[in-house]
Amino acid sequence: MLTGSAGFIGSHVGETLEAAGHRVIRLDLRDGADVRDAGVLDRLLPGVELVMHQAAKVGLGVEVADLPDYASVNVYGTAVLLAAMARHTIRRLVLASSMVVYGEGAYTCAEHGSVRPGPRAVADLDRGRFEPRCPRCGAMVRCAVIGEDAPPDPRNAYATSKLAQEHLAANWARETGAGAVALRYHNVYGPRMPRDTPYAGVAAVFRSELAAGRAPQVFEDGGQLRDFVHVRDVARANLAALRARPPAGTLAAYNIASGTPHTVGQLAYALAGARDGPAPEVTGGYRLGDVRHILASPDRATGELGFHAAIGFEEGMKEFAWS
């Protein structure tokens, strides 16, 4: 069973699963099937061997008033699903998680070695001081690659809800002897990405601005490092996770990323170039809850799942710009 099957990522996952010969039972709120409805789940789950849980409220959140929706859809919805899976003795789960559970990425201080900076101060952001500093001495730090064993540090409502999903899945796995896989997606982009919504990712926002003939508005100085991974690669990662057999009673987490970081400014220029649109404008603005840099290591997913991204940045952005 695939939850969130009509969504951006879920629709690609469903196609990839069916192309590989799997029978997919779909559940999506757009089709009137709510993952929070135990009755719906009890009708759909008999005979299901594995659940791929993609359904979620996404984005960083726009205001505090969004908190109940994130808790309801992402946290409560996952709890209802896991309880139903336990009733129907389903013992395999693939969970769509996110890089946002890490918060700020990993850094290295010349004096103190590996460090994890806390949230950036508003006063620094207002002055255009965007780079994090060592939490121990205040010195400048260098960005480093983050692995799955890094302590989580969610910085916004969405991140908190995704980490809660992982914890609930781990609880379910331990108590039922099941096996769960959490795929921590990095910045996913590609065809069918939502347009013109305040909860959209940065790639979709830039594409919408260009489609309207406007220059992409780049926050901070454009130097924020991210790992942009194509949605078809993410779908292939889900197929690989379906074949995984984590030890009973455990949740195994994997970074799903390209392994090749780019800045947000490079993203804006790649999309503007592909559409022959106006050059991006660096605004110096910022959003509280955003992190500065986060670089992923996909080595565990490669070694244990056999996953590696196949679609390069330039190729993917040329397609996405007009999708």
Side-chain angles (χ1 to χ4, degrees):
M1 187 175 79
L2 174 64
T3 74
S5 58
F8 164 46
I9 297 175
S11 63
H12 286 276
V13 171
E15 290 173 356
T16 298
L17 294 175
E18 289 185 332
H22 296 283
R23 178 171 174 258
V24 180
I25 296 171
R26 288 172 163 80
L27 183 154
D28 196 280
L29 189 60
R30 290 176 232 193
D31 300 325
D34 194 330
V35 73
R36 294 168 290 185
D37 189 328
V40 169
L41 295 173
D42 285 335
R43 289 196 299 273
L44 295 178
L45 284 174
V48 166
E49 295 179 3
L50 178 144
V51 172
M52 286 193 158
H53 186 28
Q54 305 286 327
K57 180 178 176 65
V58 299
L60 298 185
V62 175
E63 55 189 2
V64 174
D66 290 327
L67 288 172
D69 277 348
Y70 281 105
S72 177
V73 177
N74 297 357
V75 183
Y76 178 69
T78 299
V80 173
L81 174 63
L82 294 170
M85 290 173 65
R87 286 195 301 275
H88 293 276
T89 61
I90 298 167
R91 295 291 182 262
R92 298 177 64 199
L93 170 72
V94 177
L95 171 68
S97 187
S98 172
M99 64 154 191
V100 295
V101 302
Y102 296 122
E104 193 67 64
Y107 293 84
T108 302
C109 171
E111 181 176 353
H112 296 107
S114 297
V115 294
R116 294 288 300 281
R120 294 176 292 173
V122 171
D124 285 340
L125 295 171
D126 285 342
R127 293 184 179 94
R129 299 172 182 168
F130 302 121
E131 293 292 339
R133 294 181 176 270
C134 175
R136 297 178 62 184
C137 67
M140 298 297 294
V141 291
R142 290 188 298 107
C143 188
V145 172
I146 198 163
E148 291 86 349
D149 295 328
D153 185 17
R155 301 287 177 89
N156 53 63
Y158 175 61
T160 300
S161 71
K162 297 307 286 185
L163 183 59
Q165 286 184 315
E166 287 197 18
H167 286 320
L168 289 170
N171 296 157
W172 164 83
R174 282 193 300 271
E175 294 178 19
T176 63
V181 172
L183 302 180
R184 292 175 177 167
Y185 303 156
H186 284 252
N187 288 71
V188 186
Y189 73 96
R192 304 176 206 154
M193 197 173 189
R195 297 174 181 268
D196 303 319
T197 163
Y199 301 94
V202 64
V205 171
F206 289 167
R207 181 186 59 181
S208 292
E209 289 173 339
L210 288 162
R214 300 189 297 266
Q217 303 295 294
V218 181
F219 283 177
E220 302 187 16
D221 59 2
Q224 310 94 301
L225 280 166
R226 297 290 189 271
D227 190 304
F228 298 98
V229 58
H230 196 280
V231 68
R232 289 198 296 274
D233 281 328
V234 170
R236 285 191 285 268
N238 276 270
L239 180 61
L242 179 148
R243 298 167 179 152
R245 296 285 183 173
T250 65
L251 178 143
Y254 298 94
N255 284 327
I256 302 302
S258 72
T260 305
H262 291 82
T263 67
V264 171
Q266 287 173 325
L267 167 70
Y269 275 99
L271 290 173
R275 292 190 65 105
D276 195 23
E281 296 176 359
V282 177
T283 69
Y286 63 87
R287 293 189 306 177
L288 286 175
D290 277 351
V291 298
R292 178 61 176 174
H293 306 302
I294 182 161
L295 308 184
S297 169
D299 291 349
R300 181 182 291 180
T302 299
E304 298 183 14
L305 302 180
F307 166 76
H308 66 277
I311 301 173
F313 181 79
E314 295 298 332
E315 172 192 356
M317 288 299 164
K318 286 177 182 177
E319 176 198 22
F320 174 63
W322 294 99
S323 64

